[in-house]
Amino acid sequence: MKAYSFHGVGPRIHPSVYAFDDVVVIGDVEIEADVSLWPGVTIRGDKGTVRIGSGSNIQDHAMLHSDPGHPLAVGRDVTVAHGALLHGCSVGAGSVIGIGAVLLNGVSVGASSRVSAGAVLSVGPQYPDRSLIAGAPASVLMTLSGSDVAVLDETAAEYRALAEQYRTGLRRIVPAGREHSEPRTGL
C-alpha cells in the first residue's frame, strides 16, 4: 500500500488492515481494524474525510473519494465490490455495494442494504435500512428479509477470512528469466 499525506494530513490506518501493494490512500482517511483493501483500490481524502469501518472490504479497483461538505463514510462490515465508485456518500453497517455501482454526493444507504451491480445512486437520496436498491437511476425494489440480511453478513465474514488466507498464503513470484532483468524505460 502507498499512503500519502496531503497538506500535512495523513491517513490513520489500523495495523490489522490487509492491503495490496498497489492500493493508494491519500489524506484525511481513517481505516479501522480488520479492513481489507484489494488490488487497484484508490481512497482519496484530499477534499474531505473518508472513514472505513471495521471488518469492511473494499474490492479490486474500487474508488472512494470525498468532496467538501460531503465526507465519505463506510460503516462496519460493508462489502464494496469490484469497480464500485463511492463519492461523498455514506453506507450503513452490513451493506453490500455491487460490482460497478456508483454512489454520488449526499447519498445515504441504510444499514443491511444491498445495492445491485451497475446501480447509479444520483446526488442526494436517502435509502432506508434493509433496502434492495437497483437501476439507473436507482430505486428501492423491496425491503430485505432476515435471511437476505444474513447473506449480506456472510459476505463481509467471507472477505475477512479470505484476507487471512492471503496474509499467510500469497507469495510474489518472478517469472523465469526475469530474476535479474533491469527495469525497462521508455516506450
Side-chain angles (χ1 to χ4, degrees), residues 12 16 23 30 48 65 73 95 97 106 125-126 155 159-160 170 185:
R12 297 160 311 284
S16 65
V23 168
E30 180 181 0
H65 192 214
S95 293
I97 307 302
Q126 315 292 300
T155 303
Y159 265 84
R160 281 191 301 279
L170 184 70
T185 58

Side-chain angles (χ1 to χ4, degrees), residues 127-168:
Y127 298 91
D129 293 352
R130 298 175 72 149
S131 293
L132 173 60
I133 304 162
S139 62
V140 176
L141 300 183
M142 62 182 267
T143 299
L144 298 176
S145 68
S147 61
D148 294 328
V149 170
V151 169
L152 301 180
D153 294 340
E154 290 170 12
T155 303
E158 174 189 334
Y159 265 84
R160 281 191 301 279
L162 185 60
E164 284 307 310
Q165 291 174 23
Y166 268 75
R167 220 182 274 282
T168 59

Side-chain angles (χ1 to χ4, degrees), residues 22-153:
D22 64 347
V23 168
V24 176
V25 181
I26 301 167
D28 191 2
V29 176
E30 180 181 0
I31 304 173
E32 294 183 353
D34 302 318
V35 167
S36 58
L37 305 172
W38 297 88
V41 167
T42 300
I43 305 169
R44 286 180 42 210
D46 54 355
K47 294 175 123 187
T49 302
V50 176
R51 183 183 166 281
I52 301 172
S54 63
S56 292
N57 63 91
I58 313 299
Q59 297 176 11
D60 314 59
H61 301 284
M63 170 63 195
L64 284 66
H65 192 214
S66 56
D67 239 354
H70 294 284
L72 192 150
V74 173
R76 67 176 169 69
D77 298 326
V78 168
T79 294
V80 177
H82 317 291
L85 184 138
L86 278 62
H87 200 279
C89 60
S90 66
V91 178
S95 293
V96 172
I97 307 302
I99 294 170
V102 176
L103 286 67
L104 298 176
N105 285 357
V107 165
S108 177
V109 173
S112 300
S113 292
R114 181 178 194 97
V115 176
S116 293
V120 177
L121 286 64
S122 294
V123 175
Q126 315 292 300
Y127 298 91
D129 293 352
R130 298 175 72 149
S131 293
L132 173 60
I133 304 162
S139 62
V140 176
L141 300 183
M142 62 182 267
T143 299
L144 298 176
S145 68
S147 61
D148 294 328
V149 170
V151 169
L152 301 180
D153 294 340

